[in-house]
Amino acid sequence: MSTVSTTRVPGLTTRPTRPNPRKSKRRQVRERHWPAYVFLSPWMIGAVVLTLVPMAVSLYLSFTDYNLFDPPRWVGLRNYEEMLTEDPRYWRSVGTTMLYVVVAVPLKLGLALGVAMLLRNLGRGRGFYRSAFYAPSLLGAGMSIALVWKALFNDGGTVAGVLDSVGIHTGGWVGNPHLAVYVIVLLTVWQFGAPMVIFLAGLQQISPDLYEAAALDGAGRWRQFVSITVPMLSPVVFFNLVLEVINSFQVFTPAFAISGGDGGPADSTMFYTLYLYERGFTASHMGYAAAMAWLLLIAIGAITLLLFRTSRSWVFYADEEGR
């Protein structure tokens, strides 16, 4: 039974006021949720201060001429026009980055899937081999690993010596404009441990009954792989593909270390992010670098959206089988 409160004012007719159930419900929700907001507040403050505000400042700087020392001067779309129509090195950096993505991502995912399938059928020692193959991913593409890799592929390095011993005379890959980018590709492919672990987890979720039924129908290993493994593993392939494409467009440290920071030889390792760094911090054209960063963000977003749109035609989800 709800209570009714009245307000008595001399000379005025009293009107009963009833409690608003919507307001009381909202108040209860706020009281129940405020601890969550308190615990989330450090992350929310960090997201605003360390991500959203710098992004807004970067967007503003992309329309200015800013050299890190003088106040920014508004130039409108001049940075974007120069980038797209007057800067051949920009387009070389785009081409080098696209070549790297197109070559490195399929090789890395293919090797990761192949090793994962071998480990799935491995009995004793699977844990050891899984850890061994995952170790390069733990080391990461840091500066120290990139410098070691540079030494291996440099003139007089181990790779050149091994190839010379079998009659293949390529010289040092690092100094060869046609081979330098593949040094970075091989470094990326070598770190296939992270997608391998994800593939292995996906393979273990496929029911063995599917393979037994296919074998009874006379399907060989290749037919089982094409008709069972690939469709059932397609969500995992899609997940790894999106992550690797996004990460590949942002490669910087290996290119900086192996090229010495100048994208050489002959701009063959001038990746997009390395050229962005050069324009922003070496040439002090921070407005131009900010414009490059925003075009990179737009490009990655568009490619990711394209992958999601095309995934409808080749990614199979078990819960959609009956639809």
Side-chain angles (χ1 to χ4, degrees):
M1 182 174 181
S2 61
T3 61
V4 178
S5 61
T6 59
T7 304
R8 298 181 180 276
V9 179
L12 295 177
T13 305
T14 61
R15 175 177 294 180
T17 59
R18 299 178 180 274
N20 190 334
R22 291 185 177 181
K23 290 185 177 180
S24 61
K25 186 175 181 179
R26 286 198 295 267
R27 187 181 300 110
Q28 293 176 3
V29 171
R30 286 197 299 267
E31 292 176 353
R32 187 167 62 250
H33 289 175
W34 74 263
Y37 292 117
V38 171
F39 284 105
L40 285 173
S41 59
W43 179 89
M44 297 172 66
I45 294 173
V48 172
V49 175
L50 300 178
T51 302
L52 296 181
V53 172
M55 287 182 65
V57 173
S58 172
L59 180 60
Y60 166 73
L61 291 178
S62 70
F63 298 102
T64 66
D65 181 12
Y66 180 47
N67 61 5
L68 294 176
F69 303 102
D70 300 322
R73 181 173 60 88
W74 184 267
V75 294
L77 297 175
R78 175 58 186 163
N79 289 326
Y80 295 94
E81 293 174 358
E82 179 183 351
M83 188 188 316
L84 298 176
T85 61
E86 303 175 13
D87 189 355
R89 294 193 74 197
Y90 171 81
W91 287 109
R92 282 200 295 271
S93 70
V94 171
T96 301
T97 304
M98 291 299 299
L99 173 64
Y100 168 80
V101 172
V102 171
V103 175
V105 172
L107 287 178
K108 184 176 183 179
L109 294 183
L111 182 61
L113 178 58
V115 174
M117 294 186 65
L118 292 176
L119 291 179
R120 182 190 60 173
N121 299 324
L122 190 64
R124 299 178 58 184
R126 182 170 60 178
F128 169 78
Y129 287 108
R130 181 168 55 187
S131 301
F133 285 123
Y134 186 71
S137 294
L138 290 177
L139 296 175
M143 183 64 71
S144 59
I145 298 299
L147 291 176
V148 171
W149 208 258
K150 179 180 180 179
L152 290 174
F153 286 88
N154 216 335
D155 291 332
T158 303
V159 174
V162 171
L163 293 177
D164 287 341
S165 65
V166 295
I168 302 176
H169 305 288
T170 60
W173 289 30
V174 175
N176 189 330
H178 303 291
L179 298 176
V181 66
Y182 296 103
V183 176
I184 305 174
V185 168
L186 291 176
L187 175 58
T188 300
V189 174
W190 176 66
Q191 297 168 334
F192 65 90
M196 178 206 69
V197 171
I198 298 174
F199 278 136
L200 185 60
L203 289 170
Q204 291 174 345
Q205 300 301 315
I206 302 177
S207 175
D209 296 339
L210 297 176
Y211 294 102
E212 293 177 2
L216 291 176
D217 290 339
R221 292 293 183 89
W222 175 250
R223 174 55 61 184
Q224 293 179 23
F225 175 77
V226 173
S227 300
I228 299 176
T229 305
V230 172
M232 298 298 293
L233 203 62
S234 57
V236 181
V237 174
F238 175 66
F239 176 78
N240 276 331
L241 177 62
V242 171
L243 288 185
E244 292 301 327
V245 167
I246 293 174
N247 292 333
S248 296
F249 273 103
Q250 302 176 71
V251 62
F252 172 77
T253 303
F256 183 89
I258 291 174
S259 70
D262 59 1
D267 284 346
S268 59
T269 58
M270 181 58 75
F271 285 80
Y272 194 99
T273 52
L274 183 58
Y275 188 50
L276 188 156
Y277 172 84
E278 180 184 290
R279 292 303 301 263
F281 295 96
T282 303
S284 297
H285 294 165
M286 187 56 67
Y288 192 94
M292 287 186 63
W294 275 95
L295 282 187
L296 177 62
L297 176 64
I298 294 172
I300 292 177
I303 293 174
T304 303
L305 179 62
L306 179 64
L307 290 175
F308 272 92
R309 289 295 179 86
T310 57
S311 67
R312 300 174 182 176
S313 61
W314 62 273
V315 177
F316 170 80
Y317 294 98
D319 57 353
E320 295 181 351
E321 185 177 3
R323 297 183 185 180

